[in-house]
Amino acid sequence: MLRNSVLLSVLLSVLTVMLAAGGAAAAEEAVDKGLAIAIEADQRDIGFGDASATLQMILRNRHGDQTTRQMRSRSLEVADDGDKSLMIFDDPADVKGTAFLSFSHKTGDDDQWLYLPALKRVKRISSSNKSGPFMGSEFSYEDLSSQEVEKYTYRYLRDEAFDGRDHFVLERVPVDKKSGYRRQVVWMDKDAYRVWKVEFYDRKDALLKTLVFSGYQQYLDRHWRAGRMDMENHQTGKSTTLLFEDYVFGNGLTDADFNRNSLAKAR
C-alpha cells in the first residue's frame, strides 16, 4: 500500500513538472510569435521616405455636440530611429497656427513640442505628460508618436475574424513605465499586416479607449494608410475622428522641415 502511494506521488510530481514546462513553452512561443508579427508589420512599411496629408479632426462630447478642425500633417522616415512628424492647425481661428512637432525614438523618451500662437511660445511636452489629451481630443500625445517595435513587449493572443477579415490579435505592453496605458490589444489583418482596431487599457487595467481604423488605401504599391481613425473614450463618452485626405509621398522633406526653432513659422 505504501509502495503504491509513493509511486502515485512520484507520478503526480512528474506530471506537474511536465505541465509546467508545457505552459512555459507555450507562453514563450506566444511572445516570440507576437514579436515576429510586430516586426513583419514594421518591415512592410520601411522605405516610405516622407509623406504629407490634409486632415479633419472632429471632436464630440458625450452629448454628441461636435467641433471640427482643419489640419495638415507631414512625416519623415528616419533611418535607425523613430519617425519625425509635424501637425499644423489651419482652422478655426482660435487654433490657427498651432503646431505640434514629434520626434519618436525606438528607445528612450520621445521629444515633443507644441507651439501655441496665443501665448507665442513653444511648450515642450514632458514624458510624464505624454498621456495627456492632445488639443482637447481623445488622442493622447503618446498616441501620436510613431509606434516603433521597441516601444512594447508583445504576446500573440489568438486568431479572430473581424469585419470580414482574418486577424492576428496581439497584446502589447509599453516598455516605458510612464505610459498612460498598462496594455493594448491590437487587431492586425493577416493579409497586409494593417492595424484595424486597438483597445487601450488604463493603468488599473480598465478599458479606456478603442481606436478603429478604416478606409485604407495603398500608396507606392507598398504603403497602406488609413483614411479614417475613430477614437472612442469609454470612460468619458467622448470621441474624436481623424479624416485623412490628399496623401502625397516623395515630397523631398528633410530634417530642416522638422525644426522646433521654426515651429512658430510653420506653414
Side-chain angles (χ1 to χ4, degrees):
M1 187 69 177
L2 178 60
R3 184 177 179 181
N4 289 341
S5 297
V6 171
L7 180 59
L8 179 59
S9 177
V10 170
L11 288 174
L12 287 173
S13 297
V14 170
L15 181 59
T16 300
V17 170
M18 291 177 64
L19 289 174
E28 184 176 354
E29 183 179 347
V31 169
D32 291 344
K33 185 172 182 178
L35 177 60
I37 293 169
I39 291 174
E40 175 65 22
D42 182 66
Q43 292 289 316
R44 291 187 178 216
D45 199 41
I46 288 177
F48 75 87
D50 68 65
S52 63
T54 59
L55 63 154
Q56 284 187 344
M57 173 185 279
I58 304 172
L59 301 92
R60 301 180 191 83
N61 63 22
R62 67 176 64 193
H63 305 294
D65 301 326
Q66 68 179 44
T67 302
T68 301
R69 296 167 174 172
Q70 306 294 332
M71 306 158 59
R72 287 169 287 140
S73 70
R74 304 169 188 162
S75 58
L76 178 69
E77 186 176 24
V78 179
D80 301 323
D81 202 359
D83 300 336
K84 295 182 177 181
S85 63
L86 174 65
M87 289 186 178
I88 304 166
F89 288 74
D90 292 325
D91 193 74
D94 62 337
V95 295
K96 184 176 182 179
T98 301
F100 173 66
L101 179 64
S102 179
F103 293 178
S104 298
H105 301 298
K106 292 180 180 294
T107 58
D109 296 333
D110 295 335
D111 294 306
Q112 296 180 320
W113 302 269
L114 184 67
Y115 173 69
L116 299 168
L119 302 177
K120 295 183 179 179
R121 73 180 181 92
V122 176
K123 173 185 177 184
R124 184 181 180 89
I125 308 300
S126 69
S127 58
S128 59
N129 289 330
K130 67 180 183 180
S131 61
F134 171 65
M135 294 294 289
S137 75
E138 300 313 305
F139 288 85
S140 68
Y141 292 99
E142 180 178 1
D143 299 334
L144 299 175
S145 296
S146 62
Q147 302 299 298
E148 305 299 325
V149 172
E150 293 82 355
K151 288 178 177 287
Y152 303 94
T153 60
Y154 298 86
R155 184 164 65 100
Y156 165 78
L157 297 180
R158 61 187 180 273
D159 290 346
E160 183 176 302
F162 167 66
D163 203 19
R165 295 175 298 273
D166 292 328
H167 293 78
F168 301 113
V169 182
L170 314 176
E171 179 185 72
R172 61 187 185 190
V173 176
V175 173
D176 188 351
K177 300 303 181 186
K178 294 187 290 293
S179 170
Y181 308 118
R182 179 167 179 171
R183 63 189 177 100
Q184 302 172 14
V185 179
V186 181
W187 279 254
M188 185 181 297
D189 73 64
K190 293 184 175 182
D191 180 45
Y193 288 71
R194 297 165 296 192
V195 173
W196 291 90
K197 186 169 79 168
V198 182
E199 291 180 345
F200 299 85
Y201 291 81
D202 66 17
R203 299 302 303 176
K204 296 181 180 178
D205 207 25
L207 179 59
L208 174 61
K209 302 186 295 188
T210 298
L211 175 61
V212 175
F213 298 74
S214 60
Y216 272 103
Q217 292 190 40
Q218 191 177 35
Y219 299 87
L220 307 180
D221 296 325
R222 177 180 175 88
H223 307 289
W224 291 93
R225 293 293 182 271
R228 178 173 181 139
M229 300 181 188
D230 291 283
M231 181 75 90
E232 179 182 4
N233 189 318
H234 301 288
Q235 298 184 7
T236 66
K238 299 179 180 178
S239 65
T240 299
T241 297
L242 294 178
L243 300 174
F244 293 83
E245 292 184 326
D246 306 321
Y247 265 111
V248 177
F249 289 76
N251 298 278
L253 301 176
T254 67
D255 286 331
D257 296 296
F258 300 83
N259 186 341
R260 65 187 172 113
N261 295 321
S262 60
L263 269 181
K265 301 176 182 177
R267 294 290 185 271

